[in-house]
Amino acid sequence: MSQPRPAIFYIDLLRFMAAFAVIAIHVLGPFRYLYGEIPDSDWLAATAINSVTRWAVPVFIMLSGALLLSSERAFNCEDYLRKRVAKVAVPFICWTLIYAFIGGFTEAEWSAVETLKIIENSGNTPVWYHLWFFYDFIPLYFVIPFLIPLLKKTSPEFIKLLIITWTLLFLMHWLKVESFLQQNIILYTGYLMLGWYLFNRDNSRQLKYWLIAGISMLLLNVFGSWQLAIESGKYSSFFMGYKTLNTVIIAGMLFVCAQAYGDKIEGKLRALITLISKYSLGIYLLHPLLLIPVRNLDNGFYSAFISNWLAIPVITIAILFISLLCTISLAKIPFLKALVP
């Protein structure tokens, strides 16, 4: 019988960081398109935080690639579907129904017709803004078993070339160069391979290059987004895509930095990060429920603070911890724990 993989703290650290970043993106969401309608400082706070957190979903995918593609277990289709695919698919289906039910409320009244309409359209349209992730993520689970033997038998130099080729596809997508190869499953598969590649090698010699490239891309995101807004008079998502080369570089930098510095974190902070990492999927699925009243600007959650530079981080931290408590509570209830695996 194979032994369970020993805990690797920097993986927990990356998962924690990605969970925090996702919540921050959703907390600042209402302000992105309000350029010129709110004080510049408040808009810039939202855009700057948005610019430096767009790596969150790619990091989640890279972590799946790092761990699942490194598996040494003999592949068993039934076990894989039950233990891996179902662990993600079942909560996704359940939360789709939950959010569809919530979406049925219009002007304080619930409409079964509206809920059924949402469910009917859910094959192509996520019922809630954060569930789009699963439409791209679940298909990757059907790619992973075919990648494992391929990566094991291919030399490191060929894999390096494959990753370079994949980054060129990201550049093409970013610059809107049309190609049939620019499909989500191909581009996101690259994140799986990049996670596996960085996980299985010593990246310390390249750390300074990752830092230079990654920090440069973060600065480009912030100031580039600001400049585009000044020129066009509105928010632009040009630098914010998950399928753009700048995001690949930032995600790679964070992965390598976590490898290099993660073990310097000790004590209670380390334990807290590990706890949040354990429940990160549940936190991802649940936290938009808590944000429903918050994101309604008329309710005054943001205006209770001096500025969005303070409001967004504080609300993000609060939502993270409340989501954690809710997730832990659900995990203790036998019939509901499957919602927060």
Side-chain angles (χ1 to χ4, degrees), residues 58-78:
V59 164
F60 275 131
I61 299 174
M62 288 173 66
L63 291 174
S64 294
L67 298 176
L68 296 180
L69 291 177
S70 300
S71 175
E72 297 295 334
R73 296 178 181 178
F75 181 74
N76 180 284
C77 184
E78 183 178 340

Side-chain angles (χ1 to χ4, degrees), residues 8-69:
I8 303 172
F9 177 70
Y10 82 80
I11 295 293
D12 288 335
L13 175 60
L14 285 166
R15 204 176 279 123
F16 158 78
M17 292 167 57
F20 182 88
V22 163
I23 295 175
I25 291 169
H26 295 158
V27 167
L28 63 84
F31 297 99
R32 284 183 296 175
Y33 295 96
L34 296 182
Y35 180 76
E37 300 178 33
I38 59 175
D40 285 349
S41 177
D42 282 344
W43 180 85
L44 186 58
T47 300
I49 295 171
N50 191 33
S51 298
V52 299
T53 52
R54 299 303 291 188
W55 45 265
V57 165
V59 164
F60 275 131
I61 299 174
M62 288 173 66
L63 291 174
S64 294
L67 298 176
L68 296 180
L69 291 177

Side-chain angles (χ1 to χ4, degrees), residues 318-330:
I319 293 296
L320 174 64
F321 281 101
I322 297 171
S323 298
L324 174 63
L325 293 175
C326 292
T327 301
I328 292 173
S329 299
L330 287 175

Side-chain angles (χ1 to χ4, degrees), residues 113-279:
V113 173
E114 184 64 25
T115 290
L116 289 173
K117 182 179 178 182
I118 293 171
I119 294 173
E120 191 176 304
N121 293 331
S122 65
N124 296 307
T125 305
V127 304
W128 216 258
Y129 55 84
H130 69 308
L131 294 178
W132 72 267
F133 170 63
F134 293 89
Y135 288 74
D136 288 320
F137 187 60
I138 291 175
L140 294 179
Y141 273 85
F142 294 91
V143 174
I144 287 170
F146 297 99
L147 280 178
I148 292 173
L150 175 66
L151 293 174
K152 284 181 179 178
K153 294 180 179 179
T154 306
S155 73
E157 291 303 311
F158 278 110
I159 292 172
K160 192 184 297 183
L161 178 61
L162 188 60
I163 290 175
I164 292 171
T165 303
W166 163 72
T167 59
L168 290 175
L169 289 177
F170 268 80
L171 182 60
M172 290 169 61
H173 178 86
W174 195 16
L175 299 178
K176 302 188 186 306
V177 179
E178 297 297 330
S179 169
F180 74 94
L181 293 174
Q182 295 171 27
Q183 299 300 320
N184 287 1
I185 196 165
I186 294 175
L187 291 175
Y188 285 130
T189 294
Y191 279 120
L192 293 174
M193 292 190 296
L194 181 60
W196 173 87
Y197 180 75
L198 295 176
F199 179 74
N200 287 286
R201 70 193 302 269
D202 179 6
N203 300 293
S204 56
R205 293 179 62 184
Q206 292 80 34
L207 176 60
K208 63 180 179 181
Y209 302 112
W210 278 108
L211 281 169
I212 292 170
I215 292 172
S216 298
M217 290 299 103
L218 287 171
L219 292 173
L220 177 66
N221 283 8
V222 174
F223 291 102
S225 297
W226 191 5
Q227 183 61 33
L228 287 177
I230 292 172
E231 292 177 358
S232 65
K234 61 182 180 180
Y235 167 79
S236 170
S237 61
F238 179 76
F239 293 99
M240 307 299 181
Y242 299 124
K243 294 170 286 186
T244 53
L245 185 58
N246 57 332
T247 303
V248 174
I249 294 171
I250 295 167
M253 176 197 70
L254 290 168
F255 198 103
V256 172
C257 285
Q259 280 181 322
Y261 302 116
D263 282 336
K264 296 183 183 296
I265 299 174
E266 299 177 344
K268 293 182 179 179
L269 178 58
R270 187 183 182 104
L272 177 62
I273 288 171
T274 301
L275 179 67
I276 292 174
S277 169
K278 178 181 177 181
Y279 293 103

